[in-house]
């Protein structure tokens, strides 16, 4: 079988996915996901959808229990969101990127 120019036996075969109809597609609605808000990777992640009961310690523990080195957690004002948000700073860009990959859409 061939997909996007790769043979099924090729190591790269499963590295490409079509997110066109996926809920993980960030820009399926171009008005919602402005291309002006695309930035290079950083050691800080914006985490949202946290349970109301989550404080600094629980947010930090969530990532540390998954093997990530958290330097700092800053809870953000609730504002108009129904769920709590936080900024989480990791020891490195690589650590933050892996946390994003591993825990994206993670349910607490």
């Amino acid at each position: 079988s061939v997909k996007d120019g790769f043979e099924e036996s090729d190591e790269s075969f499963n590295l490409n996915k079509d997110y066109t109809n996926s809920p993980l597609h960030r820009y399926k609605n171009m008005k919602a996901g402005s291309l002006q808000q695309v930035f290079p990777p950083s050691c800080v992640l914006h985490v949202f959808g946290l349970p109301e009961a989550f404080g600094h310690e629980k947010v930090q523990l969530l990532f540390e229990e998954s093997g990530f080195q958290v330097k700092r957690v800053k809870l953000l004002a609730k504002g108009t969101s129904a769920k709590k948000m936080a900024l989480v700073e990791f020891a490195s860009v690589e650590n933050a990127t892996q946390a994003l990959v591993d825990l994206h859409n993670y349910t607490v």
Side-chain angles (χ1 to χ4, degrees):
S1 171
V2 176
K3 176 181 170 186
D4 298 326
F6 295 101
E7 293 290 329
E8 192 168 351
S9 60
D10 191 350
E11 185 178 305
S12 303
F13 183 77
N14 290 318
L15 294 179
N16 296 314
K17 294 184 181 180
D18 182 2
Y19 287 94
T20 304
N21 296 311
S22 169
L24 301 177
H25 185 336
R26 184 173 180 186
Y27 300 107
K28 64 182 168 193
N29 177 349
M30 290 309 287
K31 292 178 185 174
S34 172
L35 290 174
Q36 295 175 359
Q37 295 187 22
V38 175
F39 300 98
S42 124
C43 60
V44 177
L45 292 182
H46 174 232
V47 180
F48 61 95
L50 296 168
E52 193 61 41
F54 265 47
H56 291 87
E57 297 80 18
K58 279 201 169 189
V59 174
Q60 186 162 345
L61 193 59
L62 171 73
F63 288 99
E64 287 179 346
E65 285 179 341
S66 296
F68 300 103
Q69 299 170 351
V70 176
K71 287 178 73 174
R72 188 173 18 219
V73 173
K74 178 180 180 181
L75 295 177
L76 301 175
K78 195 168 157 180
T80 59
S81 174
K83 298 265 185 165
K84 200 177 251 188
M85 296 180 282
L87 295 176
V88 182
E89 183 179 0
F90 293 86
S92 66
V93 172
E94 293 79 11
N95 208 238
T97 304
Q98 194 61 51
L100 175 63
V101 168
D102 290 356
L103 297 175
H104 182 73
N105 269 352
Y106 182 80
T107 303
V108 290

